[in-house]
Amino acid sequence: MRGTEVIGAVILLLVVGVVVTAIVAGARRATHRAPAPGTGESHAVRQLFEYLLLFGLLVASAVGVSGLLAAVFAQGSTVAVTDSEIARSIAFTVVGVPLCVALAVAVRRGFARDETERDALPWVFYLSGTSLVSLVGALFALHDSIAWALDLRPFDPQPLAQAPVWTAVWAGHWWLGTRQRDRRPLQLHLLAGSLVGLALGLVGLGGMLSGALRIWLGLDGDVLLAGANEPVLAGAITFLLGGATWVRYWLFGALRSERNALWHAYQLLAGETAGLVVSLVAASIALDRALVWLVGDPWSTDAHRYFQSMPATLASTTVGLLALLYHRAVLTTTAQPTRTEVDRIRDYLLAAVGLGASSAGATIVVVALIEAVTDPSVIAGSGALNTLIAALTLLGVGGPVWWLHWRRGQRATPAEETVSPTRRLYLFLLLGLASLASVGALLAGAWILVDRILQEEPAAEVMRSVRFPIGILVTAGAVAAYHWAAYRTDRAHLPPPAAPQGCTFALLLGVADEQTAAETARRTGAAVWIWAREDVAPVVWAVEDIIAAIEAASVREVVVLAEEGALRTIPVNRRGVRPAAAPSVGPLPSSHAAHSPEATA
């Protein structure tokens, strides 16, 4: 690219940047004038777009500065930096940095004028989002830079340039977060950063364990800390970076924050559930591979080739269990002496994971049995035996997990457990999912069955073609039947419904109009009727007087009327035994019937 073209592009971007800055400055001045009624929404919208623009300019500035540094680092090396990359870096730096600084100064002046903007959600979202983006960018750049320093990857100037830039951006926004008057809204940022650190730390630890096992088992040579692609060192770099992030965000941040619903959701989902899923999947793969080698038909008779992936599965099982046990220990330190909803959520969530693995295993067992019945020759083959081993492995791993956590709910006090919304939600979700799976399998099976019958295929082949729908249908039916029985048992232990307290029906006889009756119904929660009297002139009493008379009566059904200048209440029972020959009663007038339950229904 020629120099004149670069200069022209930079001038054009400068003009655009000046226009954008002028528009933003004008919007800020207009917003910070005397606010008019109903301008709160426009104020929030202005903040949102302002911080989005600031985020975009910040990213562009970071890309431009790191690109220029990369071009400097590439001097004297074999890495070539194109003219297009240099032009982009110059443009982003010359235009983005001044605009970003100007907008940041304007935001700071806005905070000086109105301190509430610092605690507003748009600014909190900006701080959280920018900090997380810069954190991820800095971690990846630092990882590649350290790997190059340890001779684990070839020279690349980009990570060397990006590491200090993104680290500075993250540090600056972390410092801004510490200046918040109320840091509770930043809890989501702390938990998200903890998740990033936890994931990287566990991946690095798994890589270290996997590499060490491969060396120990003789799968990767005899030298532990040498080689251009050494997995132990690569895992150690990831572990150290992720561990440092996790310590900063979790041990010195989120762990000490308020233990609200968001905090417990992180613990249960990102900690225990994710750890259990990883360990279950990895343990199932490792156990299946070992059983196939012992009693099945392995795809290779060379143990060195066959067990190449075994270290990775064992390492994944280990790190998954570590995550599960640690987060369970953290919750145990805050456990209550009685069973709480947090305990129930954890138990039923992990029970669902175990039940999913068990259901998959049971489905495969049914499929294998149908294959053996319809085609006995498959019994002598290796595929059927390996399939059965995989199914039994899933049952053997998932079944105990489900039973361990489900049994805790079954052994709890029925009076407390059966009314738990978590247990009822668990049962309803399982019943719904089992019903959907059953209907889907039934439709698919019917379609395949009719299609094969029309093609006049043999009965054994037709049966074999619907083995998967049958397996799903049988498993889903068993799951639904068992949990439906559990639901019926829960209903039998439910306490009887409490009798309604206070008045449930009031007939206002010549003492109220429609508006008074409606207000009385709203404030008492009773069904209120109004009737007019023909013997006296109607008098509308105050709502407070009517409610006081109803409450003083202390009955469920009452008639309120006026006698001698005072309200009188008469207890009634609309559900009492009526005489055999009851006098006929004409229909209510339309204006009065409007407040009856029959008319409402």
Side-chain angles (χ1 to χ4, degrees), residues 62-317:
V63 171
V65 173
S66 61
L68 292 179
L69 287 177
V72 173
F73 293 157
Q75 297 295 323
S77 67
T78 58
V79 179
V81 180
T82 64
D83 292 342
S84 177
E85 293 175 345
I86 295 177
R88 181 198 62 190
S89 301
I90 293 175
F92 282 10
T93 303
V94 173
V95 177
V97 172
L99 289 179
C100 184
V101 172
L103 188 55
V105 171
V107 170
R108 182 178 179 181
R109 291 175 179 174
F111 289 165
R113 287 190 294 264
D114 186 2
E115 281 291 334
T116 59
E117 285 195 12
R118 189 186 297 273
D119 299 325
L121 284 180
W123 175 249
V124 173
F125 288 154
Y126 167 79
L127 274 183
S128 302
T130 307
S131 299
L132 289 175
V133 170
S134 58
L135 172 67
V136 173
L139 288 175
F140 278 99
L142 287 171
H143 178 277
D144 293 344
S145 300
I146 299 174
W148 166 76
L150 296 177
D151 198 23
L152 297 179
R153 56 175 295 142
F155 173 75
D156 186 358
Q158 290 294 338
L160 295 176
Q162 293 170 356
V165 173
W166 285 114
T167 302
V169 172
W170 172 82
H173 285 79
W174 180 271
W175 177 76
L176 289 175
T178 60
R179 299 187 64 191
Q180 291 291 109
R181 294 181 302 179
D182 185 7
R183 301 189 62 185
R184 288 176 299 176
L186 292 174
Q187 186 186 49
L188 179 60
H189 165 226
L190 295 177
L191 292 175
S194 302
L195 180 59
V196 172
L198 178 66
L200 287 178
L202 292 180
V203 169
L205 180 60
M208 292 172 60
L209 293 176
S210 176
L213 284 174
R214 295 179 70 86
I215 297 296
W216 182 61
L217 295 174
L219 300 177
D220 271 350
D222 299 327
V223 182
L224 181 61
L225 296 176
N229 297 309
E230 176 56 52
V232 176
L233 281 178
I237 296 171
T238 306
F239 174 72
L240 290 176
L241 291 175
T245 304
W246 182 76
V247 169
R248 171 66 270 186
Y249 272 88
W250 175 252
L251 292 183
F252 294 101
L255 182 60
R256 304 178 181 182
S257 63
E258 180 184 0
R259 303 197 171 186
N260 50 20
L262 183 63
W263 189 88
H264 283 98
Y266 169 83
Q267 282 285 103
L268 295 173
L269 294 176
E272 293 199 38
T273 304
L276 179 63
V277 170
V278 171
S279 59
L280 274 182
V281 173
S284 300
I285 295 174
L287 183 59
D288 173 72
R289 182 144 300 199
L291 290 176
V292 169
W293 176 262
L294 294 175
V295 298
D297 188 8
W299 57 269
S300 175
T301 57
D302 183 3
H304 186 277
R305 293 182 56 197
Y306 182 77
F307 288 105
Q308 276 289 326
S309 62
M310 183 63 75
T313 56
L314 293 178
S316 299
T317 304

Side-chain angles (χ1 to χ4, degrees), residues 504-541:
T504 60
F505 170 79
L507 172 60
L508 307 183
L509 189 57
V511 296
D513 55 9
E514 293 186 1
Q515 183 177 359
T516 305
E519 181 64 17
T520 303
R522 186 187 67 83
R523 294 173 60 176
T524 61
V528 178
W529 293 9
I530 54 173
W531 284 4
R533 293 181 60 172
E534 300 293 340
D535 56 337
V536 295
V539 178
V540 179
W541 285 70

